[in-house]
Amino acid sequence: MNKMKGIIYDLDGVIVDTAQYHYLGWKKLADHIHVEFDEKKNEKLKGLSRRDSLLAMLGRVPDEEQIKKWCEMKNRFYLEFIRKLDVSVILPGAADFLETVRKNGSWKQALASSSRNARLILKKLGIERFFDAVVDGTEVERAKPDPRIFLKAALKLQLQPDQVVVVEDAESGIRAAQAAGMKTIGIGRPDLLSRANLVVKDLSCISLATLEGLFR
Ligand code: B16
Ligand code: MG
């Protein structure tokens, strides 16, 4: 049996804080098409795919052509906002944690993000070198809470689900990881992520010993 273990990270809300730019992109689209939208409504979009976010924002299902057009428009706005992205969006403890795990050598690391822009963001921030595998929103048909994104990441790491812990900030992501048979660490509010094996504020609050403890 393979002794290696794996960590699969979500991107937005775990490693980087790009949520503010997603919000600004949706807000610009909402203003453009005269739909009411604010930060409170935006909370419900957290972790959803681009298409699901649009439908949640509208509260209805327009025809496919319209969906495509508005998704593309939101993405253009989003890309404008992240054009000058810099390392200040990396969340507390994330870079150090990725580095520590990498150096330790007995863990493989993967990224599993619903974002179709995930690779671009990793590249812009110079952090793609930490990951042995990446699965992004272009590679999966079904968004979280469907477990397939995490199963695909584990497959790329050549690990079984029970050798893997998933780090997620969205409830849909925790559900997806559990459906995949993986351990879970929630990043954020314990009341919202109570399903997770462990909930912490950010990656500065955990160590390799914390990870090992989950497998004992
Ligand atoms: P894009 P994650 C998710 O990233 C974001 O949390 C979510 O707000 C966004 O709608 C989704 O990616 C799709 O992003 O429009 O760039 O494809 O949390 O799964 O890393
Ligand atoms: Mg997230």
Side-chain angles (χ1 to χ4, degrees):
M1 151 111 177
N2 188 347
K3 287 262 174 56
M4 289 292 283
K5 285 197 275 294
I7 313 175
I8 303 179
Y9 305 85
D10 173 56
L11 181 63
D12 180 33
V14 171
I15 293 176
V16 299
D17 177 18
T18 38
Q20 46 178 325
Y21 301 109
H22 280 294
Y23 169 64
L24 292 174
W26 287 121
K27 178 68 182 149
K28 198 165 171 181
L29 175 71
D31 290 348
H32 186 77
I33 62 177
H34 308 293
V35 167
E36 259 186 65
F37 189 63
D38 56 21
E39 293 200 44
K40 195 167 167 236
K41 288 187 181 156
N42 185 62
E43 275 303 302
K44 299 207 175 78
L45 273 49
K46 201 172 170 186
L48 298 184
S49 69
R50 194 182 305 168
R51 188 180 193 279
D52 291 346
S53 300
L54 175 73
L55 301 187
M57 186 182 93
L58 296 173
R60 65 185 176 90
V61 186
D63 64 61
E64 279 308 315
E65 209 176 303
Q66 192 68 78
I67 292 176
K68 196 165 167 251
K69 191 178 148 204
W70 284 342
C71 279
E72 279 171 5
M73 199 179 274
K74 182 269 172 172
N75 197 48
R76 272 205 307 281
F77 296 149
Y78 176 69
L79 290 177
E80 263 168 43
F81 287 122
I82 65 160
R83 205 150 51 93
K84 293 198 184 116
L85 202 70
D86 64 32
V87 292
S88 66
V89 296
I90 299 179
L91 287 165
D96 285 348
F97 191 75
L98 288 165
E99 178 99 59
T100 303
V101 176
R102 184 90 189 159
K103 280 196 184 138
N104 173 271
S106 45
W107 294 81
K108 290 186 189 176
Q109 306 194 93
L111 187 93
S113 166
S114 306
S115 175
R116 303 172 78 88
N117 297 300
R119 286 174 195 274
L120 171 77
I121 291 168
L122 294 184
K123 200 151 181 258
K124 265 182 180 282
L125 300 175
I127 54 174
E128 74 267 60
R129 66 197 164 89
F130 293 124
F131 300 99
D132 302 293
V134 174
V135 182
D136 66 19
T138 63
E139 293 172 64
V140 282
E141 274 167 33
R142 286 166 160 258
K144 302 165 191 174
D146 188 281
R148 265 167 273 197
I149 187 165
F150 292 127
L151 292 171
K152 189 159 189 176
L155 202 66
K156 284 195 184 189
L157 293 179
Q158 297 182 299
L159 294 174
Q160 297 299 318
D162 64 0
Q163 294 172 280
V164 169
V165 53
V166 169
V167 192
E168 255 290 350
D169 71 312
E171 210 227 338
S172 59
I174 299 286
R175 281 182 189 276
Q178 287 176 337
M182 298 168 181
K183 304 209 179 336
T184 51
I185 296 178
I187 299 286
R189 283 172 45 184
D191 55 329
L192 300 179
L193 301 170
S194 56
R195 302 173 58 93
N197 296 115
L198 173 72
V199 183
V200 292
K201 192 166 153 273
D202 55 48
L203 284 170
S204 71
C205 307
I206 60 172
S207 63
L208 279 168
T210 318
L211 295 182
E212 295 287 355
L214 291 174
F215 290 89
R216 253 176 242 131

